[in-house]
Amino acid sequence: MLDIRFCRALQVMMRLAIAAEEGSEVRSSTQFAEELSTNPSLVRKLLVPLHSEGLVICTKGRGGGARLGRPAEEITLAEIYRCAVGDKPLWARSPDGEHVCMVAARTGEFFANLTAEAERAVLTSLGDRTLADSVREIRALDAEPARR
């Protein structure tokens, strides 16, 4: 099963960026939950690492919620990705088996190197894109005629 935390965290961050542009900066976990068809508890779990890294500012209580911690132009997708997935590797390797041949003996090491290389490439690509870039891309996609 694929991990959807990055996708969900990115959706939350894009909604915060749009809210900031529209002048309604603070959004509640209940609002996010309704928009994402999930529960507020999941949203709050997504917000914890984003808050810890200063990407969002959270306030508790009536009228509280989350808002961007920095301008969208200063937040990279790589930062959001790292907050969402933590130290979890891009791909999980299978457990080492009996070392009956060269492939069995070296696959774990090979796969670890391959995963590290792929993750560096992903982080480089995400590091070149900001949250503001993403909002512009979403708006451009929304402006296109419906695809059939």
Side-chain angles (χ1 to χ4, degrees):
M1 185 164 157
L2 294 175
D3 192 322
I4 63 168
R5 288 177 294 177
F6 174 55
C7 181
R8 293 293 182 138
L10 183 55
Q11 287 175 314
V12 165
M13 293 297 289
M14 285 194 287
R15 289 168 198 258
L16 286 175
I18 291 168
E21 288 176 358
E22 295 172 350
S24 57
E25 293 185 8
V26 178
R27 305 282 310 230
S28 73
S29 56
T30 301
Q31 289 172 305
F32 286 126
E34 289 172 5
E35 295 165 352
L36 298 172
S37 299
T38 190
N39 62 58
S41 175
L42 173 70
V43 173
R44 286 189 291 274
K45 287 178 185 174
L46 284 171
L47 288 171
V48 168
L50 295 167
H51 174 72
S52 295
E53 292 299 317
L55 301 184
V56 298
I57 296 170
C58 297
T59 54
K60 293 180 181 179
R62 192 172 198 69
R67 65 181 172 86
L68 290 181
R70 300 193 316 250
E73 295 81 15
E74 296 176 13
I75 298 172
T76 69
L77 299 192
E79 291 176 292
I80 298 167
Y81 175 83
R82 271 288 158 230
C83 286
V85 302
D87 291 333
K88 183 179 175 185
L90 185 62
W91 300 313
R93 69 182 235 198
S94 62
D96 290 335
E98 225 176 289
H99 294 218
V100 295
C101 68
M102 176 182 63
V103 172
R106 294 295 182 199
T107 299
E109 181 181 358
F110 168 78
F111 198 74
N113 293 338
L114 179 65
T115 300
E117 181 182 330
E119 189 150 320
R120 281 190 301 275
V122 166
L123 288 171
T124 296
S125 176
L126 294 176
D128 290 339
R129 300 173 81 168
T130 68
L131 181 57
D133 295 333
S134 301
V135 170
R136 282 190 289 277
E137 287 181 47
I138 288 289
R139 286 197 167 115
L141 289 170
D142 192 51
E144 290 179 6
R147 297 179 194 173
R148 296 195 184 251

Coordinates of all heavy atoms in Angstrom, one line a residue, residues 2 9-12 14 18 25-26 31 36 41 72 82 86 89 95 102-103 108 127 138:
L2 N 0.6 2.2 -0.8 CA 1.4 3.4 -1.0 C 1.0 4.4 0.2 O -0.1 4.5 0.6 CB 1.1 4.1 -2.3 CG 1.6 3.3 -3.5 CD1 1.2 4.0 -4.8 CD2 3.1 3.1 -3.5
A9 N -0.5 16.0 3.2 CA 0.2 17.2 3.8 C 0.3 18.3 2.7 O 0.2 19.5 3.0 CB 1.6 16.8 4.3
L10 N 0.6 17.9 1.5 CA 0.7 18.9 0.4 C -0.6 19.5 0.2 O -0.7 20.8 0.0 CB 1.2 18.2 -0.9 CG 1.5 19.2 -2.1 CD1 2.4 20.3 -1.7 CD2 2.0 18.3 -3.2
Q11 N -1.7 18.8 0.2 CA -3.1 19.3 0.1 C -3.3 20.4 1.2 O -3.9 21.4 0.9 CB -4.1 18.2 0.1 CG -4.2 17.4 -1.2 CD -5.1 16.3 -1.0 OE1 -5.2 15.6 0.0 NE2 -5.9 16.1 -2.1
V12 N -3.0 20.0 2.4 CA -3.2 20.9 3.5 C -2.4 22.2 3.3 O -2.9 23.3 3.5 CB -2.8 20.2 4.9 CG1 -2.7 21.2 6.0 CG2 -3.8 19.1 5.2
M14 N -1.3 23.5 0.5 CA -1.8 24.3 -0.6 C -3.0 25.0 -0.2 O -3.2 26.2 -0.6 CB -2.0 23.4 -1.9 CG -0.7 23.0 -2.6 SD -1.0 22.4 -4.2 CE -1.6 20.8 -3.9
I18 N -3.5 29.1 -0.3 CA -4.6 29.8 -0.9 C -5.4 30.6 0.1 O -5.8 31.8 -0.2 CB -5.5 28.8 -1.7 CG1 -4.8 28.2 -2.9 CG2 -6.9 29.4 -2.1 CD1 -5.4 26.9 -3.5
E25 N -6.5 33.4 6.6 CA -5.3 32.6 6.9 C -5.5 31.3 7.7 O -5.0 30.3 7.5 CB -4.2 33.4 7.6 CG -3.7 34.5 6.7 CD -2.5 35.2 7.3 OE1 -2.1 34.8 8.4 OE2 -2.1 36.2 6.7
V26 N -6.3 31.4 8.8 CA -6.5 30.3 9.8 C -7.5 29.3 9.3 O -8.6 29.7 8.9 CB -6.8 30.8 11.2 CG1 -7.0 29.7 12.2 CG2 -5.7 31.8 11.7
Q31 N -12.2 21.8 9.2 CA -12.4 22.3 7.8 C -11.6 21.4 6.9 O -12.1 21.0 5.9 CB -11.9 23.7 7.7 CG -12.9 24.7 8.3 CD -12.3 26.1 8.3 OE1 -11.1 26.4 8.8 NE2 -13.0 27.1 7.8
L36 N -10.9 17.0 2.9 CA -10.1 15.8 2.5 C -10.8 14.5 2.7 O -10.3 13.4 2.5 CB -8.8 15.8 3.3 CG -7.8 16.9 3.1 CD1 -6.7 16.9 4.2 CD2 -7.3 16.9 1.7
S41 N -8.7 14.2 13.5 CA -7.5 13.6 14.2 C -6.4 13.3 13.2 O -5.2 13.6 13.5 CB -8.0 12.3 14.9 OG -6.9 11.7 15.5
A72 N 4.5 31.2 1.2 CA 4.5 30.0 0.3 C 5.7 30.0 -0.6 O 6.1 28.9 -1.0 CB 3.2 29.9 -0.5
R82 N 9.6 15.8 3.7 CA 10.3 15.4 4.8 C 9.5 15.4 6.1 O 9.5 14.5 6.9 CB 11.6 16.2 5.1 CG 12.7 15.6 4.3 CD 13.2 14.4 5.0 NE 14.0 13.6 4.1 CZ 13.7 12.3 3.8 NH1 12.8 11.6 4.4 NH2 14.5 11.6 3.0
G86 N 9.0 11.8 7.2 CA 10.0 11.6 8.2 C 11.2 10.9 7.6 O 11.6 11.1 6.5
P89 N 12.1 5.4 4.5 CA 12.7 5.3 3.1 C 11.6 5.3 2.1 O 10.5 5.0 2.3 CB 13.5 4.0 3.1 CG 12.9 3.2 4.2 CD 12.3 4.1 5.2
P95 N 13.2 -8.4 3.5 CA 14.2 -8.9 4.5 C 15.3 -9.8 3.9 O 15.0 -10.5 2.9 CB 13.4 -9.7 5.5 CG 12.0 -9.7 5.0 CD 11.9 -8.9 3.8
M102 N 25.0 -15.0 -5.2 CA 25.5 -13.6 -5.2 C 24.3 -12.6 -5.1 O 24.4 -11.6 -4.4 CB 26.2 -13.3 -6.5 CG 26.6 -11.9 -6.7 SD 27.5 -11.6 -8.3 CE 26.2 -12.0 -9.5
V103 N 23.2 -12.9 -5.8 CA 22.0 -12.0 -5.7 C 21.5 -11.9 -4.3 O 21.3 -10.9 -3.8 CB 21.0 -12.5 -6.7 CG1 19.7 -11.7 -6.6 CG2 21.5 -12.4 -8.2
G108 N 20.3 -6.8 -0.7 CA 20.0 -5.8 0.3 C 20.9 -4.5 0.2 O 20.4 -3.4 0.2
G127 N 12.9 19.9 -4.0 CA 13.5 21.1 -3.5 C 13.6 22.3 -4.5 O 13.7 23.4 -4.1
I138 N -1.7 24.2 -9.8 CA -3.1 23.7 -9.6 C -4.1 24.7 -10.2 O -5.1 24.3 -10.8 CB -3.4 23.6 -8.0 CG1 -2.6 22.5 -7.4 CG2 -4.9 23.6 -7.7 CD1 -3.2 21.1 -7.8

